[in-house]
Amino acid sequence: MTKIPPGLLPEGLSDRLPPQAEASARLVRNVLDTVSSHGYQRAMPPLAEFEQTLVARLQSARAQDLLRVVDPVSQRMLALRPDMTAQIGRIAATRLGQAARPLRLCYAGPVIKLRSNQLRPEREMTQVGAELIGTDSVAAAVEIVTVAIEALEVAGLSGITVDFTLPDLIDTLAAKELPLATDDIPAVRAALDAKDAGALVALGERAAAYLPLIEATGPFHAAMDKLEALDAVGALKSRTEALRAIAKPIGWDITLTLDPTERHGFEYQTWFGFSLFAEGFVGEVGRGGTYMIAHPDGRQEPAIGFSLYPDPLIDAGLGSKPVKRLFLPVGHDSARAAELRKTGWRTVAALSESDDGIALGCSHVLDGNEPKPLKS
């Protein structure tokens, strides 16, 4: 067996060292505090669950897509969570099944993927989010989108873009306004996802009728005008009115776009989805939308939420904060040190005369009763 070098970690996993680890905790705490200020209460599901339970709720993942281990206690297969939203759904449907609705829950913690992708090579990520359970109304969507934007702003992001989508758009049109055979719907979805006009034409006259949807993509208001013009018989009226209502209270400094046929990552959302982007970052920093939660009795409950993935923000320096570190020499006044800690100083006490304050990352030393700069 090949000897593993000391300190080597599995591919896609990494350590967070000081000061990034502290920045990570601070950023997550700030986001959670922002979400909590809107009435969302924190839940903390476990890192692993029985594979059968987790897979049943994830919907978007199969057992073979999860990192799994055998539980030595129960002898049953466990799976490490790749997403916390499904766990919050389980809690809402079981432990909090009788709690008053709408139920507002928030969460934060690590998730781990079996495989990474080129855009996000990390397999372990931090996920922070909020779920509003019991309704998927326009008012609920307005709240979730607003809270998500506020959380990103508190995290220090600027140049925020919200990209709206309608995950059930093709099904809605295929049922009435632009009829399609059931077997043709997946191919039309795939062509629209790829923005492939040629593929739509090749699928036939009925599929070609969906070509205008490719043009109904881009800056929100112009794209909405094109989408509404396509809706001759009003099949989409409730959807377009809802989108305009959701967009209306969003501040002028937030860029809004529309990609009404985007399905990648929204396969299990119901009528509404959105992606979050920010200036200076490649790819999404978060996403959200409406979905259904399954109850033990078979009942389906509507919900809406969002998840943020803050690791790239932390890598970019967000969450960092200058720290005042004070070196306490041997024999220092402990009462004075305690007073200084209350005013924001972080103290590092010498354990021997040979301890070096500068080497230990301190900028000041307690000289008598007052902090004084350390000289290198």
Side-chain angles (χ1 to χ4, degrees):
M1 181 181 293
T2 304
K3 186 177 180 181
I4 298 175
L8 181 66
L9 292 173
E11 182 179 350
L13 307 184
S14 62
D15 295 314
R16 279 211 183 276
L17 304 178
Q20 276 195 325
E22 188 168 351
S24 174
R26 182 180 297 110
L27 190 147
V28 169
R29 182 72 264 168
N30 289 343
V31 169
L32 283 177
D33 285 346
T34 301
V35 173
S36 296
S37 72
H38 289 271
Y40 290 77
Q41 297 176 294
R42 185 158 186 189
M44 297 178 67
L47 182 60
E49 295 195 19
F50 289 121
E51 174 197 68
Q52 184 178 6
T53 303
L54 192 57
V55 170
R57 289 195 174 275
L58 280 171
Q59 297 181 323
S60 59
R62 302 165 298 171
Q64 55 266 41
D65 296 327
L66 306 179
L67 195 58
R68 296 173 290 167
V69 296
V70 176
D71 179 16
V73 177
S74 66
Q75 295 299 306
R76 296 177 64 183
M77 191 68 76
L78 302 182
L80 300 181
R81 65 186 180 207
D83 178 82
M84 293 181 73
T85 305
Q87 293 182 298
I88 298 299
R90 172 185 56 75
I91 290 171
T94 56
R95 304 290 297 279
L96 296 178
Q98 300 304 313
R101 268 40 177 183
L103 176 64
R104 291 175 170 87
L105 297 175
C106 61
Y107 54 89
V111 296
I112 189 163
K113 310 285 187 179
L114 183 62
R115 301 177 185 85
S116 61
N117 57 54
Q118 291 182 336
L119 191 60
R120 296 288 295 269
E122 309 88 358
R123 292 167 59 204
E124 182 184 19
M125 297 178 285
T126 300
Q127 182 181 2
V128 188
E131 309 299 326
L132 179 52
I133 297 151
T135 176
D136 61 356
S137 67
V138 172
V142 169
E143 177 173 307
I144 281 291
V145 173
T146 301
V147 172
I149 292 171
E150 185 178 339
L152 290 180
E153 290 175 333
V154 167
L157 291 177
S158 59
I160 296 170
T161 294
V162 183
D163 184 41
F164 295 129
T165 187
L166 294 171
D168 69 347
L169 177 63
I170 308 306
D171 292 324
T172 301
L173 289 174
K176 186 175 182 181
E177 192 151 343
L178 300 174
L180 287 172
T182 303
D183 292 344
D184 292 337
I185 292 177
V188 171
R189 282 181 183 152
L192 288 169
D193 277 346
K195 306 294 185 287
D196 189 339
L200 279 176
V201 173
L203 288 170
E205 184 178 347
R206 289 190 172 186
Y210 284 79
L211 282 169
L213 288 177
I214 295 178
E215 296 297 322
T217 300
F220 180 76
H221 294 290
M224 282 293 293
D225 289 342
K226 293 176 182 177
L227 184 61
E228 288 169 334
L230 177 66
D231 188 25
V233 301
L236 301 179
K237 184 177 181 180
S238 63
R239 297 288 187 267
T240 54
E241 287 179 348
L243 283 181
R244 289 200 182 276
I246 295 166
K248 185 175 181 180
I250 297 175
W252 61 269
D253 55 331
I254 305 298
T255 300
L256 300 180
T257 59
L258 176 67
D259 189 348
T261 63
E262 175 62 43
R263 290 272 300 171
H264 182 66
F266 293 99
E267 292 88 353
Y268 296 96
Q269 249 74 47
T270 51
W271 71 270
F272 172 65
F274 63 97
S275 297
L276 299 162
F277 302 87
E279 186 177 3
F281 294 91
V282 176
E284 299 173 335
V285 294
R287 63 169 49 200
T290 56
Y291 59 98
M292 303 298 289
I293 292 174
H295 282 249
D297 61 3
R299 179 170 56 92
Q300 297 283 316
E301 182 176 25
I304 182 170
F306 71 87
S307 292
L308 307 179
Y309 298 91
D311 293 290
L313 317 185
I314 298 157
D315 294 337
L318 299 182
S320 298
K321 179 181 178 181
V323 175
K324 300 187 296 180
R325 287 171 64 88
L326 177 65
F327 183 66
L328 305 176
V330 173
H332 66 273
D333 184 340
S334 58
R336 178 58 177 153
E339 291 175 359
L340 290 168
R341 282 192 290 271
K342 291 179 181 178
T343 65
W345 286 95
R346 296 192 179 178
T347 62
V348 180
L351 302 181
S352 72
E353 294 289 353
S354 64
D355 286 357
D356 185 334
I358 293 176
L360 293 173
C362 297
S363 59
H364 291 70
V365 61
L366 183 60
D367 186 356
N369 283 328
E370 295 304 321
K372 292 187 178 179
L374 274 169
K375 296 181 180 179
S376 57

